[in-house]
Amino acid sequence: MLVSIFNDVLGPVMRGPSSSHCAAALRIGRLARDLMGGKIDKVLVEFDRSGSLPTTHASQGSDMGLFGGLLGWDAADARLPDSDRALRDAGIALCIETIDVGDPHPNTYRLTLTNSHETHTLHAISTGGGMIEVLRIDGQSVSFFGDRAEPLDALGIPGRILQPVLPVLTLPDTSVPFKSALGMLRYIESNLSPQPPPPGSRKLLGEGGAIPSDSPFPVRDERPGEGLGRGSETPLWKLAAQYEGQRGGLTEDEVLAKALDLIQILRRSIAQGIAGTHYEDRILGWQSGKFAERMQAGTLLGGGALNRIVLYVTALMEVKSSMGVIVAAPTAGACAALPAAVIAMAEELGLDETEMAKAFLASGLIGVFIATRWSFAAEVGGCQAEGGSAACMAAAALVQLGGGTLTQSLAAASMALQNMLGLICDPIANRVEAPCLGKNVMAASNALSCANMALSGYDPLIPLDEVIETAKRVSAQMPRELRCTNLGGLSISPTSQAIEERLVQLQLRRQN
């Protein structure tokens, strides 16, 4: 998979508590709907008992997203919170079962879909931040990621194409390790530059064409073109624009315009959060309003730009938990640290939205490095994969706002991720609100500190690519219970369990 900044890192634009649950499940559901030609009578959903989904699929949005995808909706559809009712109204019978099959990935979806004419199976995984990979269709091994069409004639499914569209292509073997942080840029360039397929490359199915207008992905995979610009004086945002432009067949202006659209969505969401949000099935109420009042009255402790960052983090997290529109940058659980840091700091510095967009793009290329070598999924890497990635990306973005160099951006990113190694994922009451709010604040504060350290010439010692590899290694050493399964940390404290029981009882009363 050649990661897209807009499809996979600074996105998707969505509703729901978790991108690896809700947005990814929706994309899987959309592909399943295509597989059935839009006609579904019954769906069997199976989750492996040893994975993360048996304990989290209802409360963290997997059901909501999957049902919306089966109905053909997109990730920002306002109807998503009622998708279970809409599925029933559409006459689709649903069964969810927990089985013992030893799936190696904790976010594995096994779907069996039936109508009066045909039955198909689809196995797919959520790999973090809304990204997915389809592994099997009707028992046949495949490997594709949903951002291009997949003709299925080779699998004995005549006339069926999973949208959108892709060319026949090969991907270089991604097992080659990076040699340095700047080496990552050369590695990305080699993926983009025309070249013969190397040994060990993977061939993907498909034929050429354009993404249809109803695709859930904003950028198609085009991928030919010149190499990325080299040299330490090239700003990180320009390298990001070149990367995404070559991957998606976009000009620099078009890439920047897409980033501007995201900034404007985020600023509206921040304003919505500060104005006040409400949602019954959440554990934290509206807190950003009181913070804004005290900040305006001058009764908070002095924090400068940091206080504005905390306000914006809180506002975005409250919008997320009330099913408002957010940008999963890089995930929904860590959706607030990066945009709050960028927007708040730019406002403090008197910079316009174009500069915010450039900083956002700079962060996006750092996210590409992380997602290419590791994961954004807390189920895979704990909160170091979500909050750690957000801090890493935000630190590079803040250096961009501060007029720093490419080398300083990479240094800040390295230091920020170093500081988040080992961070567990333990949502209270199985809701992605707390301690997620505090971890987003911590990620943004960490990013600001590391950006200023890098701008002052601090030495990160360990290059970014080695820190990413270390985070990946640490995640493999973490107990499963500490990786977003609702089985460890604060999630199993007596108070957390009591809150969860109260919410369950509230839901039962509403249903009755």
Side-chain angles (χ1 to χ4, degrees):
M1 180 181 184
L2 191 60
V3 176
S4 162
I5 290 175
F6 292 120
N7 290 352
D8 308 316
V9 180
L10 303 180
V13 178
M14 60 168 288
R15 298 176 192 267
S18 168
S19 50
S20 63
H21 287 257
C22 186
L26 186 140
R27 288 173 168 175
I28 292 169
R30 286 279 294 267
L31 290 173
R33 179 182 174 85
D34 272 359
L35 184 62
M36 298 299 293
K39 298 176 182 178
I40 306 172
D41 294 335
K42 298 179 182 178
V43 181
L44 169 64
V45 184
E46 295 173 305
F47 299 133
D48 181 42
R49 192 177 307 279
S50 63
S52 71
L53 292 167
T55 59
T56 61
H57 68 90
S59 60
Q60 294 192 20
S62 297
D63 293 354
M64 178 178 75
L66 182 62
F67 302 163
L70 293 170
L71 293 165
W73 300 350
D74 66 42
D77 198 300
R79 298 171 292 177
L80 279 171
D82 294 318
S83 61
D84 56 344
R85 182 182 307 167
L87 194 75
R88 292 193 300 271
D89 292 345
I92 299 175
L94 171 75
C95 178
I96 298 177
E97 294 184 356
T98 300
I99 59 177
D100 289 306
V101 288
D103 284 325
H105 197 284
N107 291 341
T108 300
Y109 293 76
R110 293 170 169 260
L111 307 183
T112 303
L113 308 113
T114 305
N115 62 28
S116 58
H117 304 294
E118 56 188 330
T119 295
H120 293 295
T121 61
L122 182 149
H123 296 176
I125 58 175
S126 161
T127 58
M131 291 180 280
I132 65 171
E133 182 178 4
V134 178
L135 302 179
R136 297 180 73 83
I137 292 179
D138 290 355
Q140 298 294 313
S141 295
V142 296
S143 177
F144 58 84
F145 310 98
D147 58 343
R148 296 160 293 174
E150 305 292 342
L152 297 176
D153 292 357
L155 300 181
I157 307 175
R160 193 60 51 79
I161 296 179
L162 301 190
Q163 299 292 351
V165 181
L166 85 154
V168 174
L169 52 90
T170 56
L171 295 181
D173 183 356
T174 58
S175 66
V176 179
F178 299 129
K179 295 182 179 179
S180 69
L182 292 177
M184 287 191 287
L185 299 178
R186 293 193 288 274
Y187 172 83
I188 293 298
E189 177 185 346
S190 71
N191 266 351
L192 288 165
S193 301
Q195 57 183 320
S201 63
R202 293 176 293 147
K203 189 172 183 179
L204 304 184
L205 301 170
E207 295 178 356
I211 282 187
S213 59
D214 64 348
S215 166
F217 290 88
V219 176
R220 64 187 178 188
D221 190 336
E222 294 283 352
R223 188 177 313 228
E226 304 296 327
L228 291 177
R230 295 187 181 184
S232 60
E233 299 309 311
T234 305
L236 190 57
W237 81 266
K238 274 194 167 291
L239 291 173
Q242 290 176 34
Y243 171 84
E244 192 72 356
Q246 290 180 32
R247 187 197 180 281
L250 304 170
T251 67
E252 182 178 291
D253 286 345
E254 288 171 331
V255 172
L256 191 56
K258 285 184 176 292
L260 272 167
D261 287 344
L262 296 180
I263 293 296
Q264 289 162 3
I265 290 169
L266 287 161
R267 296 190 85 184
R268 288 194 295 270
S269 294
I270 288 169
Q272 177 189 353
I274 295 171
T277 56
H278 174 76
Y279 195 71
E280 286 189 1
D281 188 25
R282 70 180 189 182
I283 61 176
L284 291 174
W286 178 45
Q287 301 179 123
S288 57
K290 178 62 70 176
F291 194 97
E293 289 176 8
R294 295 203 62 168
M295 194 170 98
Q296 291 166 2
T299 57
L300 294 175
L301 297 173
L306 183 57
N307 280 338
R308 188 189 294 257
I309 290 173
V310 173
L311 172 62
Y312 288 4
V313 166
T314 309
L316 284 171
M317 293 296 285
E318 289 173 356
V319 168
K320 178 191 69 67
S321 64
S322 62
M323 296 299 167
V325 174
I326 59 159
V327 178
T331 70
C335 69
L338 165 61
V342 167
I343 293 171
M345 182 57 69
E347 289 177 355
E348 288 283 330
L349 295 174
L351 301 176
D352 62 18
E353 288 185 344
T354 298
E355 295 305 313
M356 297 179 195
K358 290 177 180 179
F360 221 44
L361 284 174
S363 76
L365 192 55
I366 298 296
V368 167
F369 298 158
I370 297 170
T372 298
R373 301 301 294 166
W374 184 35
S375 174
F376 292 139
E379 297 85 358
V380 172
C383 197
Q384 62 169 358
E386 296 202 28
S389 296
C392 180
M393 294 163 60
L398 291 175
V399 169
Q400 171 71 44
L401 288 178
T405 66
L406 170 61
T407 299
Q408 289 171 331
S409 293
L410 294 171
S414 173
M415 288 187 284
L417 186 54
Q418 289 179 40
N419 296 342
M420 306 286 275
L421 293 179
L423 190 64
I424 69 171
C425 181
D426 55 343
I428 293 170
N430 210 6
R431 301 303 191 274
V432 189
E433 295 181 65
C436 315
L437 169 60
K439 289 176 179 176
N440 273 258
V441 170
M442 179 176 68
S445 306
N446 175 31
L448 175 56
S449 299
C450 291
N452 277 333
M453 291 161 68
L455 289 168
S456 302
Y458 281 48
D459 187 349
L461 293 178
I462 310 298
L464 176 58
D465 55 300
E466 291 185 28
V467 181
I468 295 171
E469 290 292 338
T470 299
K472 180 179 180 180
R473 185 169 63 252
V474 169
S475 70
Q477 297 168 333
M478 294 176 73
R480 167 178 173 262
E481 290 79 4
L482 302 181
R483 290 184 276 125
C484 200
T485 57
N486 200 36
L487 297 173
L490 292 174
S491 66
I492 59 172
S493 66
T495 298
S496 174
Q497 294 177 331
I499 295 172
E500 185 170 8
E501 178 60 27
R502 174 173 58 80
L503 291 173
V504 169
Q505 296 303 319
L506 179 62
Q507 290 176 337
L508 292 175
R509 286 195 296 271
R510 284 203 303 266
Q511 291 171 0
N512 296 329

